[in-house]
Amino acid sequence: MRILTLNLNGIRAAAKKGFFDWVHTQHIDILCLQEVRAQSAQLAPFQQLTGYQVYFSEAEKKGYSGVAIYSRYTPERIVNRLDWAVADQEGRYIQLDFPNWSVVSLYLPSGTSGHARQQCKFQFLEYYGNILKAQRQQAREFILCGDWNIAHRPIDLKNWRANQKHSGFLPEERAWLDYVFDELGYVDAFRQVNSAPDQYTWWSNRGRAWANNVGWRIDYQIVTPGLASKIKEVSIYKAQRFSDHAPLLIDYALQPPSLNHNNQ
């Protein structure tokens, strides 16, 4: 089973850059997308992707945030609320449940715009940390895909020394990921296979960050430990640019649910 996660920086912009044409060449089972930046009426052209069912959680604010999952398989249940205003009003979470496992598309807030949003981000981490803890008690596995807006370790961004006081690499943010991995037992699926440096998923549009590979690895697929042995291949696709982020693709040795035949 192949799962993709990507922050689109706008679904309409990514589509114009050929994202969905590329998807059809990749044999992807599930696409987890973030920063869709569109309302229901604007999403209509993207509701019909051959072979997929589509599930959106949009933000109340126009042109902002929003997440989606495109799936070849019909879920047993759809969850698009965390019962917390920041997550629900800003369209930051959607989850599909299958018989033995769940997949999530998640978009954590950024704190780069100022103190208020950084405090919002800290509150989100606290709230979501409790959800992650509760999910570890469930008799199912989870694949948590998304833009987590945190680089975990110095290997995960180019200029780590200069960014230690910047949102996305603050000590408190990195300690929270330590808690997720070390105490709760979740697994960074990419790093389970690839421990090399210079593996990034986001590059600033300033300067020549992309050309010089001055990036950050802030997009993850984070899994419950029961799936660690199922991670087979990982890749960051950089041959084309659809966004300021790059697609992260991971192949899992998972038994697929029954195919969705409605859109074949």
Side-chain angles (χ1 to χ4, degrees):
M1 171 158 328
R2 175 169 292 180
I3 297 179
L4 169 147
T5 188
L6 174 64
N7 179 318
L8 293 172
N9 198 15
I11 193 169
R12 290 164 291 178
K16 289 178 182 178
K17 294 174 183 176
F19 172 67
F20 289 105
D21 295 331
W22 172 79
V23 163
H24 281 302
T25 72
Q26 297 302 304
H27 309 291
I28 299 166
D29 295 284
I30 296 176
L31 295 83
C32 295
L33 307 176
Q34 303 85 45
E35 208 166 354
V36 172
R37 289 189 178 185
Q39 309 306 118
S40 297
Q42 299 164 319
L43 291 169
F46 310 106
Q47 295 278 7
Q48 300 297 325
L49 186 64
T50 302
Y52 294 90
Q53 291 187 2
V54 189
Y55 308 91
F56 290 102
S57 178
E58 65 187 69
E60 293 179 1
K61 180 180 177 181
K62 292 183 178 181
Y64 182 73
S65 191
V67 293
I69 299 180
Y70 286 67
S71 174
R72 291 192 180 275
Y73 314 107
T74 303
E76 295 181 328
R77 187 174 73 125
I78 305 158
V79 179
N80 59 9
R81 296 183 61 85
L82 291 180
D83 294 324
W84 190 51
V86 172
D88 299 340
Q89 293 173 6
E90 296 185 3
R92 293 188 176 275
Y93 188 90
I94 190 166
Q95 170 183 322
L96 303 188
D97 290 346
F98 299 101
N100 300 309
W101 54 276
S102 299
V103 64
V104 168
S105 184
L106 170 74
Y107 181 31
L108 262 67
S110 169
T112 56
S113 63
H115 177 76
R117 287 304 291 179
Q118 184 61 48
Q119 294 308 304
C120 176
K121 183 177 184 179
F122 285 142
Q123 293 169 8
F124 196 107
L125 298 184
E126 181 179 2
Y127 186 91
Y128 188 53
N130 291 328
I131 291 173
L132 292 174
K133 184 177 181 179
Q135 287 177 339
R136 287 288 286 115
Q137 308 305 313
Q138 297 185 29
R140 64 172 45 245
E141 305 293 346
F142 284 85
I143 302 172
L144 310 170
C145 301
D147 177 356
W148 294 61
N149 264 314
I150 305 171
H152 185 209
R153 294 177 175 160
I155 194 176
D156 295 319
L157 71 166
K158 191 70 169 182
N159 294 327
W160 68 269
R161 287 185 178 86
N163 281 290
Q164 293 179 84
K165 295 184 179 180
H166 292 174
S167 181
F169 199 60
L170 295 173
E172 300 95 325
E173 297 170 329
R174 298 167 58 202
W176 184 80
L177 279 182
D178 287 339
Y179 166 73
V180 170
F181 296 133
D182 299 340
E183 294 189 36
L184 297 183
Y186 287 88
V187 176
D188 181 343
F190 181 83
R191 285 296 183 210
Q192 185 77 359
V193 174
N194 187 326
S195 59
D198 302 324
Q199 305 295 303
Y200 308 127
T201 61
W202 175 79
W203 299 260
S204 170
N205 286 321
R206 298 175 182 175
R208 293 178 53 81
W210 168 260
N212 296 325
N213 198 29
V214 179
W216 298 54
R217 191 176 71 92
I218 57 175
D219 302 271
Y220 297 82
Q221 295 190 32
I222 293 176
V223 303
T224 43
L227 293 178
S229 65
K230 305 292 187 183
I231 303 161
K232 298 305 178 184
E233 294 185 17
V234 304
S235 62
I236 298 170
Y237 180 76
K238 295 172 60 180
Q240 297 169 260
R241 292 202 76 186
F242 310 115
S243 166
D244 52 351
H245 295 248
L248 169 62
L249 299 107
I250 298 186
D251 292 341
Y252 298 89
L254 274 177
Q255 182 66 34
S258 298
L259 270 174
N260 158 40
H261 295 291
N262 296 333
N263 293 326
Q264 294 298 310

